[in-house]
Every structure is written in C-alpha cells, then in structure tokens.
Amino acid sequence: MVNYPPPPYKIKMVEPINLIPREKREEALKRANYNLFNLMADEIYLDFLTDSGTGAMSQTQWSAMMLGDETYANARSFLRFKKTIEEFTGLPEVIPAHQGRAAENVLFGHLLKDKAGSWVVSNQSFDTTVGHIMYNGAKPVDIVIEEGKDPQKVLPFKGNMDTAKLQSILENDADKVAVITLVLTNNAGGGQPVSMENIKQVSELAKNYGKIFALDIARVVENAYFIQQRESGYKNKSLKEIVREICTSADAVWMSAKKDAYVNIGGFIALRDSQLADKLRERLILFEGFPTYGGLAGRDLEAIATGLQEAVEGETVAHRVQQVGYLIERLNEEGIPVVLPPGGHAAFIDAKAMLPHIPPEQFPAQALACHLYLEGGIRSVEIGSLMFGRHEEGKFIPAPMELVRLAIPRRVYTKAHFDYVVDICKQLKEKADEIKGMKITEEPELLRHFTCKLTPIS
Ligand code: F0G
C-alpha cells in the first residue's frame, strides 16, 4: 500500500467542519438544482471543489501581510512583488491582477482585439480562458497529445502539446493563429504536466512563425517538480531554476496566484516586451486598477511574494504532490478508475469508466459528483461535457473525457480525510449502476457549469 508522506508543517489554527445528516444533504442538493456550486459552505464536509484560493497560508505569509503598504501608487509592497516575480519568472515586466481571469481579460482582450475568428492554439485551455477567447470572438483550438485524452495511459508528460499538429496548423493556417499557449499543468486533462522539451519545441515553432507564445503558469511549480522528477537532465536543478527556464521560454506568462503561490486571491502577467506591457497597462487601469496594485491590496502583494518564494524552497511542493499522489494511488488500489499517472493538484475519477451506462450527453461526471456529495458530504467538480461539451450545428460534441475532479486545497486536509474519501468512493462503486444521468433545465450562454440548473433523469 502507498505511504502517506509526513507533512513538513504542523497545525497552528483549526476551522471546524461538520457532516450534516443525509436527509439534509438531499434537501441541499435539490435546493442547489444539482449544481454543486450552489451548495453553502456549511452544507459541505470536505470541500474539493477547487484548489484555487482555498489553501492555508504559512505563518511567514500572514506576518508579511502586516507589512502591507497600502500607498496607492508605487507602494513598497509593489516593489517587493515586482522584484520577486522578476526573479521567479526571469521576465522584466510585471503586471499585477486580482486573479487569473483578470489577467486573461487584460492579456486576451488586447491580443485578440480586432481578431474575431482567429485561433488560440493550446494544449488545453481551461474554462475561464476558453470564456475569454470566445468572448473576444476567437476560437480555442486544443491539441494536447492523443495519450493525454486516455485516462489509463501512463506517460510522464501527458499534458504535452502535439507539436506535429501545431506544425501543420502553422504551415496551413498561420494567418488564423493569434496566440499559442500552454497550460502548466494541464488542469482540464487531469493535472498532467508538460515537459521542458515540449515547452522548448512549442516556443521554437512560435518563434519561427512570429507568433506570441504565452504560458498559463497557474501550477508552474507543480509542473517544475514533475520535470525535476521525471525528465532527464533536471534531477540536479532547483525548482527555482526550472521555473525560470520554463517562463523565459515564452514571450509572456500569466498566473492565477491562488494556486501555486499559496494565497487566497491574486494574479499577474509577466513579459519581456515593454511596449506590449504598456498596452496591457492601459487595459489594466480600465479594469483592474493602477499598474502597481492591479486590483489587489498591498497586503495581498506581500502574501503573494512570500508565497512564491516559499513555493520553490524546501519540501513544500514535493509534499503537496506526494499527498495528491497518495489519494490517487489509494483510489486506484481500490479499483476506482482514476486518471493515471498522478497529476499535480487533484484526483480525477474517470466517470465514463465508473458509470458506463450513462452517455456523455447525460453528464456522467456530474451525476457522480452529486452522489459523492449525497454519500459523504464531499464536494467535487465536474470536468467533462457539462464544462466543455458544446453543440455545433445542432450536433452534440462531448468533452474529451468525463471526469470528476477532487481538487486538493494546499496544506488543508490530513491523511484521515483522504482515507474517508477512499471509503466513500468504495461505497459508491458498489451502487454505481443505480446512479442515473442528468439533464440541464436552465443554462446561461457562457461558462454554463457555474450557474446552470440540472435535474436527474428518472
Ligand atoms: N488557468 C488555469 C489553468 C486555472 O486552473 C484557472 C482557475 C484559471 C486560469 C483562472 O484563474 O480562478 O484565479 O481566475 N482554476 C480554478 C480551478 C478556478 O478550480 O481549477 P482564477
């Protein structure tokens, strides 16, 4: 049996959680219209909805917040933030934003301006990125390697982009391509990492065709850890060196700091080109705030700076990734179909394999996520056809995989919590054939999974 790694921290403060009775959970789910985003915090026992902004900060981060300088323009905290991000990324222009999608608004709002119909080619853009691309009239084109869509295939870098496909797109349709991106790690595809070799190849192709290459580095430290562990030539390089090597391969990076910077809110863009940076700052002032705070308080800038420094030091990320790996390996040992090999931030249950009787258009992963809540008060999130499926010319196009993501908040839960999740999943597996598909009863135009209403198909 897989071992649980001893944590490199101890608990200083606790927050009570409570499992409400089954009848209450049934009522809550019905009231939530079978959309887990609508559940209230007090209705949830273990919350694996997201690893974004849900982590526990270190004592050093909390104390750094007390040094937050709230000067409107050019605060001391901004200078520290800027210097830390310059060192972290190796890129000289630093633009703060209040979270990842705010950075996407600034970046894609500018890069896709007057480019309706153009393409943003990626390994697999995540939901808010897809939203921003479409909002700007462009089209997301995802070309993750074929193995990246096979939950059972064990490969070290399943988040890689198919570079032969990229080459062919650039040879035949270069005019249509507005931006090339890579998401590190590939959140929508099981938190799978991208290799340094792949990053360099994509960078080279982008350069040859004069295309902007931007990296979504929400989980870049976890990705760097996998490169250190799995890619030849990186064993003796520090995480700091690897992160810099990744970021300097691109023209620009954007980060939701709510993940690998261990903070509850924040984000940024970093880039090389000062003229482009000035253009982005014009949009920043309009949507986020003055270029030295970008929607954040001085104390947030301090917490991010300390969080980024700590993320690439010591055992922080090694423990994090091993903890996630423990849950995935334990589920796998119990015969629960999960995406393998373990990725960086979440366990992904393969709902297509666990509920083969439910077709993708009846959202098997959403059905499973609802039952995880009913069975154990566990909140997860669907990453399948509810999030990424669409209709084109009246035809239903399913997502590449139907996954239930259990995203692990950083430094929040203990081994006993993970063992409880495994027990609940085992119980559900016994009753899997009783679980019914779902249908949508009301949905918005964009990013429907956040707010749509559903009901079980009887
Ligand atoms: N890019 C990636 C890869 C993400 O995972 C997210 C958010 C964003 C961009 C947007 O960042 O939330 O700060 O605006 N992902 C969260 C999740 C919400 O649950 O995976 P944000």
Side-chain angles (χ1 to χ4, degrees), residues 255-299:
M255 182 175 202
S256 164
K258 300 171 74 172
K259 286 86 171 172
D260 274 3
Y262 289 76
V263 289
N264 305 116
I265 196 73
F268 63 83
I269 302 167
L271 68 161
R272 202 172 281 116
D273 179 343
S274 61
Q275 278 180 346
L276 176 57
D278 284 342
K279 282 281 166 210
L280 298 182
R281 287 187 186 108
E282 285 177 25
R283 271 183 77 77
L284 189 81
I285 294 174
L286 204 53
F287 291 104
E288 290 287 283
F290 192 72
T292 63
Y293 73 83
L296 293 165
R299 55 180 170 272

mmCIF file of all heavy atoms in Angstrom, residues 255-299:
data_model
loop_
_atom_site.group_PDB
_atom_site.id
_atom_site.type_symbol
_atom_site.label_atom_id
_atom_site.label_comp_id
_atom_site.label_asym_id
_atom_site.label_seq_id
_atom_site.Cartn_x
_atom_site.Cartn_y
_atom_site.Cartn_z
ATOM 1 N N MET A 255 -0.488 34.223 -14.408
ATOM 2 C CA MET A 255 -0.648 33.300 -13.285
ATOM 3 C C MET A 255 -1.845 33.660 -12.422
ATOM 4 O O MET A 255 -2.003 34.823 -12.029
ATOM 5 C CB MET A 255 0.610 33.319 -12.415
ATOM 6 C CG MET A 255 0.530 32.333 -11.238
ATOM 7 S SD MET A 255 2.065 32.236 -10.301
ATOM 8 C CE MET A 255 1.886 30.636 -9.502
ATOM 9 N N SER A 256 -2.653 32.666 -12.126
ATOM 10 C CA SER A 256 -3.592 32.777 -11.025
ATOM 11 C C SER A 256 -2.800 32.390 -9.787
ATOM 12 O O SER A 256 -2.473 31.222 -9.594
ATOM 13 C CB SER A 256 -4.762 31.809 -11.223
ATOM 14 O OG SER A 256 -5.442 31.674 -9.985
ATOM 15 N N ALA A 257 -2.448 33.379 -8.959
ATOM 16 C CA ALA A 257 -1.608 33.113 -7.781
ATOM 17 C C ALA A 257 -2.356 32.309 -6.719
ATOM 18 O O ALA A 257 -1.776 31.891 -5.716
ATOM 19 C CB ALA A 257 -1.109 34.437 -7.214
ATOM 20 N N LYS A 258 -3.664 32.078 -6.946
ATOM 21 C CA LYS A 258 -4.495 31.359 -5.982
ATOM 22 C C LYS A 258 -4.135 29.874 -5.894
ATOM 23 O O LYS A 258 -4.665 29.155 -5.063
ATOM 24 C CB LYS A 258 -5.973 31.518 -6.360
ATOM 25 C CG LYS A 258 -6.413 32.979 -6.370
ATOM 26 C CD LYS A 258 -7.794 33.170 -6.951
ATOM 27 C CE LYS A 258 -8.870 32.717 -5.997
ATOM 28 N NZ LYS A 258 -10.221 33.083 -6.499
ATOM 29 N N LYS A 259 -3.261 29.434 -6.801
ATOM 30 C CA LYS A 259 -2.842 28.028 -6.775
ATOM 31 C C LYS A 259 -1.421 27.953 -6.192
ATOM 32 O O LYS A 259 -1.250 27.948 -4.986
ATOM 33 C CB LYS A 259 -2.903 27.430 -8.189
ATOM 34 C CG LYS A 259 -4.311 27.145 -8.695
ATOM 35 C CD LYS A 259 -4.963 28.325 -9.328
ATOM 36 C CE LYS A 259 -6.262 27.962 -10.007
ATOM 37 N NZ LYS A 259 -6.996 29.141 -10.454
ATOM 38 N N ASP A 260 -0.416 27.964 -7.081
ATOM 39 C CA ASP A 260 0.947 27.679 -6.618
ATOM 40 C C ASP A 260 1.607 28.802 -5.818
ATOM 41 O O ASP A 260 2.722 28.624 -5.331
ATOM 42 C CB ASP A 260 1.833 27.290 -7.805
ATOM 43 C CG ASP A 260 1.724 25.800 -8.108
ATOM 44 O OD1 ASP A 260 0.924 25.119 -7.438
ATOM 45 O OD2 ASP A 260 2.422 25.316 -9.015
ATOM 46 N N ALA A 261 0.957 29.952 -5.668
ATOM 47 C CA ALA A 261 1.533 30.984 -4.798
ATOM 48 C C ALA A 261 0.924 30.921 -3.402
ATOM 49 O O ALA A 261 1.221 31.752 -2.541
ATOM 50 C CB ALA A 261 1.353 32.369 -5.400
ATOM 51 N N TYR A 262 0.067 29.941 -3.163
ATOM 52 C CA TYR A 262 -0.463 29.693 -1.808
ATOM 53 C C TYR A 262 -1.161 30.898 -1.193
ATOM 54 O O TYR A 262 -0.979 31.184 0.000
ATOM 55 C CB TYR A 262 0.677 29.223 -0.878
ATOM 56 C CG TYR A 262 1.164 27.826 -1.199
ATOM 57 C CD1 TYR A 262 1.981 27.595 -2.311
ATOM 58 C CD2 TYR A 262 0.804 26.733 -0.410
ATOM 59 C CE1 TYR A 262 2.411 26.315 -2.637
ATOM 60 C CE2 TYR A 262 1.244 25.445 -0.725
ATOM 61 C CZ TYR A 262 2.039 25.252 -1.829
ATOM 62 O OH TYR A 262 2.459 23.998 -2.148
ATOM 63 N N VAL A 263 -1.936 31.627 -2.010
ATOM 64 C CA VAL A 263 -2.694 32.755 -1.453
ATOM 65 C C VAL A 263 -4.180 32.592 -1.766
ATOM 66 O O VAL A 263 -4.567 31.788 -2.616
ATOM 67 C CB VAL A 263 -2.218 34.123 -2.009
ATOM 68 C CG1 VAL A 263 -0.847 34.472 -1.457
ATOM 69 C CG2 VAL A 263 -2.214 34.147 -3.533
ATOM 70 N N ASN A 264 -5.004 33.389 -1.103
ATOM 71 C CA ASN A 264 -6.449 33.296 -1.298
ATOM 72 C C ASN A 264 -6.925 34.141 -2.473
ATOM 73 O O ASN A 264 -8.017 33.917 -3.000
ATOM 74 C CB ASN A 264 -7.173 33.693 -0.011
ATOM 75 C CG ASN A 264 -6.710 32.868 1.177
ATOM 76 O OD1 ASN A 264 -6.139 33.369 2.128
ATOM 77 N ND2 ASN A 264 -6.906 31.561 1.104
ATOM 78 N N ILE A 265 -6.132 35.125 -2.869
ATOM 79 C CA ILE A 265 -6.514 35.948 -4.019
ATOM 80 C C ILE A 265 -5.248 36.521 -4.666
ATOM 81 O O ILE A 265 -4.268 36.777 -3.966
ATOM 82 C CB ILE A 265 -7.493 37.090 -3.610
ATOM 83 C CG1 ILE A 265 -8.208 37.694 -4.812
ATOM 84 C CG2 ILE A 265 -6.814 38.160 -2.786
ATOM 85 C CD1 ILE A 265 -9.283 36.838 -5.436
ATOM 86 N N GLY A 266 -5.288 36.722 -5.972
ATOM 87 C CA GLY A 266 -4.162 37.376 -6.643
ATOM 88 C C GLY A 266 -3.797 36.738 -7.963
ATOM 89 O O GLY A 266 -4.206 35.609 -8.263
ATOM 90 N N GLY A 267 -3.035 37.498 -8.741
ATOM 91 C CA GLY A 267 -2.558 37.010 -10.029
ATOM 92 C C GLY A 267 -1.627 38.028 -10.648
ATOM 93 O O GLY A 267 -1.418 39.112 -10.090
ATOM 94 N N PHE A 268 -1.070 37.694 -11.795
ATOM 95 C CA PHE A 268 -0.205 38.642 -12.507
ATOM 96 C C PHE A 268 0.074 38.183 -13.926
ATOM 97 O O PHE A 268 -0.177 37.023 -14.283
ATOM 98 C CB PHE A 268 1.122 38.851 -11.750
ATOM 99 C CG PHE A 268 1.973 37.609 -11.623
ATOM 100 C CD1 PHE A 268 2.828 37.205 -12.646
ATOM 101 C CD2 PHE A 268 1.910 36.838 -10.471
ATOM 102 C CE1 PHE A 268 3.604 36.053 -12.520
ATOM 103 C CE2 PHE A 268 2.679 35.674 -10.346
ATOM 104 C CZ PHE A 268 3.534 35.288 -11.373
ATOM 105 N N ILE A 269 0.600 39.131 -14.708
ATOM 106 C CA ILE A 269 1.162 38.834 -16.029
ATOM 107 C C ILE A 269 2.626 39.245 -15.936
ATOM 108 O O ILE A 269 2.947 40.272 -15.313
ATOM 109 C CB ILE A 269 0.483 39.684 -17.134
ATOM 110 C CG1 ILE A 269 -1.027 39.439 -17.156
ATOM 111 C CG2 ILE A 269 1.096 39.409 -18.507
ATOM 112 C CD1 ILE A 269 -1.800 40.455 -18.001
ATOM 113 N N ALA A 270 3.530 38.473 -16.528
ATOM 114 C CA ALA A 270 4.931 38.909 -16.643
ATOM 115 C C ALA A 270 5.350 38.698 -18.089
ATOM 116 O O ALA A 270 4.932 37.717 -18.722
ATOM 117 C CB ALA A 270 5.818 38.111 -15.697
ATOM 118 N N LEU A 271 6.119 39.637 -18.608
ATOM 119 C CA LEU A 271 6.508 39.535 -20.023
ATOM 120 C C LEU A 271 7.796 40.285 -20.301
ATOM 121 O O LEU A 271 8.344 40.958 -19.414
ATOM 122 C CB LEU A 271 5.372 40.016 -20.934
ATOM 123 C CG LEU A 271 4.992 41.494 -20.943
ATOM 124 C CD1 LEU A 271 4.205 41.803 -22.210
ATOM 125 C CD2 LEU A 271 4.139 41.856 -19.743
ATOM 126 N N ARG A 272 8.269 40.116 -21.555
ATOM 127 C CA ARG A 272 9.555 40.685 -21.919
ATOM 128 C C ARG A 272 9.393 42.047 -22.612
ATOM 129 O O ARG A 272 10.152 42.975 -22.363
ATOM 130 C CB ARG A 272 10.262 39.703 -22.854
ATOM 131 C CG ARG A 272 11.753 39.891 -22.894
ATOM 132 C CD ARG A 272 12.439 38.783 -23.662
ATOM 133 N NE ARG A 272 12.586 37.569 -22.885
ATOM 134 C CZ ARG A 272 12.008 36.398 -23.175
ATOM 135 N NH1 ARG A 272 11.251 36.281 -24.233
ATOM 136 N NH2 ARG A 272 12.208 35.345 -22.419
ATOM 137 N N ASP A 273 8.396 42.147 -23.483
ATOM 138 C CA ASP A 273 8.264 43.294 -24.387
ATOM 139 C C ASP A 273 7.650 44.501 -23.648
ATOM 140 O O ASP A 273 6.478 44.473 -23.266
ATOM 141 C CB ASP A 273 7.375 42.834 -25.559
ATOM 142 C CG ASP A 273 7.109 43.930 -26.576
ATOM 143 O OD1 ASP A 273 7.321 45.113 -26.262
ATOM 144 O OD2 ASP A 273 6.680 43.590 -27.688
ATOM 145 N N SER A 274 8.432 45.575 -23.483
ATOM 146 C CA SER A 274 7.938 46.699 -22.687
ATOM 147 C C SER A 274 6.821 47.464 -23.405
ATOM 148 O O SER A 274 5.939 48.033 -22.758
ATOM 149 C CB SER A 274 9.095 47.631 -22.309
ATOM 150 O OG SER A 274 9.666 48.139 -23.489
ATOM 151 N N GLN A 275 6.856 47.460 -24.738
ATOM 152 C CA GLN A 275 5.774 48.164 -25.464
ATOM 153 C C GLN A 275 4.440 47.444 -25.288
ATOM 154 O O GLN A 275 3.408 48.063 -25.040
ATOM 155 C CB GLN A 275 6.115 48.249 -26.952
ATOM 156 C CG GLN A 275 7.058 49.393 -27.235
ATOM 157 C CD GLN A 275 7.424 49.499 -28.701
ATOM 158 O OE1 GLN A 275 7.195 48.573 -29.488
ATOM 159 N NE2 GLN A 275 7.981 50.625 -29.066
ATOM 160 N N LEU A 276 4.500 46.122 -25.402
ATOM 161 C CA LEU A 276 3.280 45.333 -25.188
ATOM 162 C C LEU A 276 2.809 45.521 -23.733
ATOM 163 O O LEU A 276 1.606 45.686 -23.469
ATOM 164 C CB LEU A 276 3.545 43.848 -25.489
ATOM 165 C CG LEU A 276 2.414 42.866 -25.222
ATOM 166 C CD1 LEU A 276 1.145 43.246 -25.992
ATOM 167 C CD2 LEU A 276 2.821 41.430 -25.571
ATOM 168 N N ALA A 277 3.756 45.541 -22.812
ATOM 169 C CA ALA A 277 3.406 45.720 -21.395
ATOM 170 C C ALA A 277 2.663 47.045 -21.188
ATOM 171 O O ALA A 277 1.670 47.100 -20.455
ATOM 172 C CB ALA A 277 4.661 45.656 -20.533
ATOM 173 N N ASP A 278 3.128 48.098 -21.857
ATOM 174 C CA ASP A 278 2.452 49.398 -21.707
ATOM 175 C C ASP A 278 1.024 49.347 -22.231
ATOM 176 O O ASP A 278 0.112 49.940 -21.656
ATOM 177 C CB ASP A 278 3.254 50.499 -22.421
ATOM 178 C CG ASP A 278 4.485 50.887 -21.614
ATOM 179 O OD1 ASP A 278 4.516 50.565 -20.399
ATOM 180 O OD2 ASP A 278 5.409 51.475 -22.189
ATOM 181 N N LYS A 279 0.839 48.629 -23.336
ATOM 182 C CA LYS A 279 -0.522 48.471 -23.884
ATOM 183 C C LYS A 279 -1.413 47.730 -22.878
ATOM 184 O O LYS A 279 -2.577 48.077 -22.665
ATOM 185 C CB LYS A 279 -0.467 47.675 -25.201
ATOM 186 C CG LYS A 279 -0.006 48.506 -26.370
ATOM 187 C CD LYS A 279 -1.183 49.352 -26.834
ATOM 188 C CE LYS A 279 -0.753 50.451 -27.766
ATOM 189 N NZ LYS A 279 -1.589 51.635 -27.686
ATOM 190 N N LEU A 280 -0.857 46.693 -22.288
ATOM 191 C CA LEU A 280 -1.636 45.912 -21.314
ATOM 192 C C LEU A 280 -1.976 46.780 -20.099
ATOM 193 O O LEU A 280 -3.072 46.679 -19.542
ATOM 194 C CB LEU A 280 -0.864 44.666 -20.875
ATOM 195 C CG LEU A 280 -0.532 43.637 -21.969
ATOM 196 C CD1 LEU A 280 0.195 42.439 -21.364
ATOM 197 C CD2 LEU A 280 -1.795 43.150 -22.697
ATOM 198 N N ARG A 281 -1.049 47.647 -19.722
ATOM 199 C CA ARG A 281 -1.299 48.515 -18.555
ATOM 200 C C ARG A 281 -2.464 49.471 -18.817
ATOM 201 O O ARG A 281 -3.195 49.836 -17.903
ATOM 202 C CB ARG A 281 -0.026 49.275 -18.170
ATOM 203 C CG ARG A 281 0.988 48.370 -17.508
ATOM 204 C CD ARG A 281 2.204 49.114 -16.953
ATOM 205 N NE ARG A 281 3.168 48.125 -16.472
ATOM 206 C CZ ARG A 281 4.323 47.835 -17.085
ATOM 207 N NH1 ARG A 281 4.686 48.486 -18.174
ATOM 208 N NH2 ARG A 281 5.104 46.895 -16.600
ATOM 209 N N GLU A 282 -2.623 49.869 -20.084
ATOM 210 C CA GLU A 282 -3.779 50.735 -20.405
ATOM 211 C C GLU A 282 -5.077 50.008 -20.072
ATOM 212 O O GLU A 282 -5.990 50.566 -19.488
ATOM 213 C CB GLU A 282 -3.772 51.102 -21.899
ATOM 214 C CG GLU A 282 -2.739 52.145 -22.266
ATOM 215 C CD GLU A 282 -2.712 52.418 -23.773
ATOM 216 O OE1 GLU A 282 -3.741 52.192 -24.458
ATOM 217 O OE2 GLU A 282 -1.653 52.843 -24.253
ATOM 218 N N ARG A 283 -5.156 48.748 -20.461
ATOM 219 C CA ARG A 283 -6.367 47.955 -20.133
ATOM 220 C C ARG A 283 -6.466 47.697 -18.638
ATOM 221 O O ARG A 283 -7.549 47.656 -18.068
ATOM 222 C CB ARG A 283 -6.330 46.609 -20.859
ATOM 223 C CG ARG A 283 -6.942 46.628 -22.229
ATOM 224 C CD ARG A 283 -6.936 45.245 -22.841
ATOM 225 N NE ARG A 283 -7.975 44.353 -22.313
ATOM 226 C CZ ARG A 283 -9.252 44.401 -22.654
ATOM 227 N NH1 ARG A 283 -9.691 45.285 -23.513
ATOM 228 N NH2 ARG A 283 -10.117 43.539 -22.145
ATOM 229 N N LEU A 284 -5.302 47.513 -18.019
ATOM 230 C CA LEU A 284 -5.272 47.215 -16.584
ATOM 231 C C LEU A 284 -5.926 48.348 -15.786
ATOM 232 O O LEU A 284 -6.729 48.109 -14.885
ATOM 233 C CB LEU A 284 -3.821 47.020 -16.123
ATOM 234 C CG LEU A 284 -3.675 46.487 -14.701
ATOM 235 C CD1 LEU A 284 -3.873 44.979 -14.686
ATOM 236 C CD2 LEU A 284 -2.322 46.819 -14.097
ATOM 237 N N ILE A 285 -5.567 49.588 -16.161
ATOM 238 C CA ILE A 285 -6.119 50.737 -15.427
ATOM 239 C C ILE A 285 -7.637 50.771 -15.563
ATOM 240 O O ILE A 285 -8.364 51.054 -14.611
ATOM 241 C CB ILE A 285 -5.469 52.052 -15.919
ATOM 242 C CG1 ILE A 285 -3.986 52.055 -15.560
ATOM 243 C CG2 ILE A 285 -6.174 53.268 -15.305
ATOM 244 C CD1 ILE A 285 -3.199 53.235 -16.105
ATOM 245 N N LEU A 286 -8.101 50.412 -16.745
ATOM 246 C CA LEU A 286 -9.541 50.413 -17.009
ATOM 247 C C LEU A 286 -10.283 49.352 -16.186
ATOM 248 O O LEU A 286 -11.337 49.601 -15.618
ATOM 249 C CB LEU A 286 -9.725 50.136 -18.504
ATOM 250 C CG LEU A 286 -10.973 50.585 -19.206
ATOM 251 C CD1 LEU A 286 -11.229 52.062 -18.968
ATOM 252 C CD2 LEU A 286 -10.812 50.321 -20.712
ATOM 253 N N PHE A 287 -9.711 48.155 -16.099
ATOM 254 C CA PHE A 287 -10.451 47.042 -15.500
ATOM 255 C C PHE A 287 -10.006 46.649 -14.091
ATOM 256 O O PHE A 287 -10.788 46.101 -13.324
ATOM 257 C CB PHE A 287 -10.352 45.798 -16.391
ATOM 258 C CG PHE A 287 -11.103 45.936 -17.679
ATOM 259 C CD1 PHE A 287 -10.435 46.181 -18.867
ATOM 260 C CD2 PHE A 287 -12.483 45.845 -17.700
ATOM 261 C CE1 PHE A 287 -11.131 46.314 -20.059
ATOM 262 C CE2 PHE A 287 -13.188 45.981 -18.881
ATOM 263 C CZ PHE A 287 -12.511 46.219 -20.068
ATOM 264 N N GLU A 288 -8.735 46.866 -13.762
ATOM 265 C CA GLU A 288 -8.198 46.349 -12.501
ATOM 266 C C GLU A 288 -7.768 47.432 -11.530
ATOM 267 O O GLU A 288 -8.002 47.340 -10.336
ATOM 268 C CB GLU A 288 -6.992 45.433 -12.788
ATOM 269 C CG GLU A 288 -7.354 44.125 -13.449
ATOM 270 C CD GLU A 288 -8.039 43.195 -12.464
ATOM 271 O OE1 GLU A 288 -7.366 42.585 -11.623
ATOM 272 O OE2 GLU A 288 -9.268 43.085 -12.510
ATOM 273 N N GLY A 289 -7.058 48.425 -12.038
ATOM 274 C CA GLY A 289 -6.561 49.479 -11.162
ATOM 275 C C GLY A 289 -5.207 49.971 -11.628
ATOM 276 O O GLY A 289 -4.690 49.521 -12.655
ATOM 277 N N PHE A 290 -4.620 50.876 -10.865
ATOM 278 C CA PHE A 290 -3.312 51.444 -11.206
ATOM 279 C C PHE A 290 -2.283 50.306 -11.373
ATOM 280 O O PHE A 290 -2.377 49.290 -10.668
ATOM 281 C CB PHE A 290 -2.893 52.430 -10.100
ATOM 282 C CG PHE A 290 -1.712 53.270 -10.482
ATOM 283 C CD1 PHE A 290 -1.854 54.290 -11.424
ATOM 284 C CD2 PHE A 290 -0.455 53.031 -9.933
ATOM 285 C CE1 PHE A 290 -0.752 55.058 -11.796
ATOM 286 C CE2 PHE A 290 0.637 53.793 -10.303
ATOM 287 C CZ PHE A 290 0.491 54.812 -11.241
ATOM 288 N N PRO A 291 -1.328 50.458 -12.283
ATOM 289 C CA PRO A 291 -0.399 49.356 -12.595
ATOM 290 C C PRO A 291 0.449 48.843 -11.436
ATOM 291 O O PRO A 291 1.109 47.808 -11.573
ATOM 292 C CB PRO A 291 0.504 49.936 -13.691
ATOM 293 C CG PRO A 291 -0.318 50.993 -14.339
ATOM 294 C CD PRO A 291 -1.182 51.573 -13.258
ATOM 295 N N THR A 292 0.455 49.540 -10.301
ATOM 296 C CA THR A 292 1.246 48.993 -9.192
ATOM 297 C C THR A 292 0.382 48.280 -8.145
ATOM 298 O O THR A 292 0.895 47.870 -7.111
ATOM 299 C CB THR A 292 2.090 50.094 -8.508
ATOM 300 O OG1 THR A 292 1.210 51.069 -7.926
ATOM 301 C CG2 THR A 292 3.025 50.776 -9.494
ATOM 302 N N TYR A 293 -0.902 48.143 -8.393
ATOM 303 C CA TYR A 293 -1.681 47.286 -7.475
ATOM 304 C C TYR A 293 -2.668 46.354 -8.175
ATOM 305 O O TYR A 293 -3.004 45.300 -7.641
ATOM 306 C CB TYR A 293 -2.386 48.096 -6.366
ATOM 307 C CG TYR A 293 -3.578 48.916 -6.823
ATOM 308 C CD1 TYR A 293 -4.840 48.330 -6.950
ATOM 309 C CD2 TYR A 293 -3.441 50.259 -7.119
ATOM 310 C CE1 TYR A 293 -5.932 49.069 -7.365
ATOM 311 C CE2 TYR A 293 -4.541 51.007 -7.546
ATOM 312 C CZ TYR A 293 -5.783 50.404 -7.668
ATOM 313 O OH TYR A 293 -6.851 51.133 -8.090
ATOM 314 N N GLY A 294 -3.121 46.750 -9.394
ATOM 315 C CA GLY A 294 -3.935 45.848 -10.207
ATOM 316 C C GLY A 294 -5.005 45.055 -9.469
ATOM 317 O O GLY A 294 -5.053 43.833 -9.561
ATOM 318 N N GLY A 295 -5.860 45.745 -8.720
ATOM 319 C CA GLY A 295 -6.984 45.034 -8.096
ATOM 320 C C GLY A 295 -6.638 44.364 -6.781
ATOM 321 O O GLY A 295 -7.474 43.660 -6.197
ATOM 322 N N LEU A 296 -5.415 44.560 -6.293
ATOM 323 C CA LEU A 296 -5.007 43.901 -5.045
ATOM 324 C C LEU A 296 -4.639 44.936 -3.982
ATOM 325 O O LEU A 296 -4.216 46.047 -4.305
ATOM 326 C CB LEU A 296 -3.788 43.011 -5.306
ATOM 327 C CG LEU A 296 -4.055 41.799 -6.201
ATOM 328 C CD1 LEU A 296 -2.746 41.210 -6.704
ATOM 329 C CD2 LEU A 296 -4.847 40.738 -5.455
ATOM 330 N N ALA A 297 -4.763 44.529 -2.721
ATOM 331 C CA ALA A 297 -4.286 45.379 -1.622
ATOM 332 C C ALA A 297 -2.780 45.146 -1.461
ATOM 333 O O ALA A 297 -2.264 44.096 -1.866
ATOM 334 C CB ALA A 297 -5.015 45.008 -0.338
ATOM 335 N N GLY A 298 -2.094 46.107 -0.844
ATOM 336 C CA GLY A 298 -0.654 45.957 -0.598
ATOM 337 C C GLY A 298 -0.361 44.670 0.165
ATOM 338 O O GLY A 298 0.609 43.965 -0.106
ATOM 339 N N ARG A 299 -1.247 44.329 1.119
ATOM 340 C CA ARG A 299 -1.011 43.103 1.907
ATOM 341 C C ARG A 299 -1.110 41.845 1.038
ATOM 342 O O ARG A 299 -0.409 40.866 1.282
ATOM 343 C CB ARG A 299 -1.963 43.029 3.099
ATOM 344 C CG ARG A 299 -3.420 43.121 2.763
ATOM 345 C CD ARG A 299 -4.271 43.046 4.045
ATOM 346 N NE ARG A 299 -5.664 43.365 3.779
ATOM 347 C CZ ARG A 299 -6.172 44.592 3.799
ATOM 348 N NH1 ARG A 299 -5.399 45.639 4.074
ATOM 349 N NH2 ARG A 299 -7.446 44.803 3.542
#
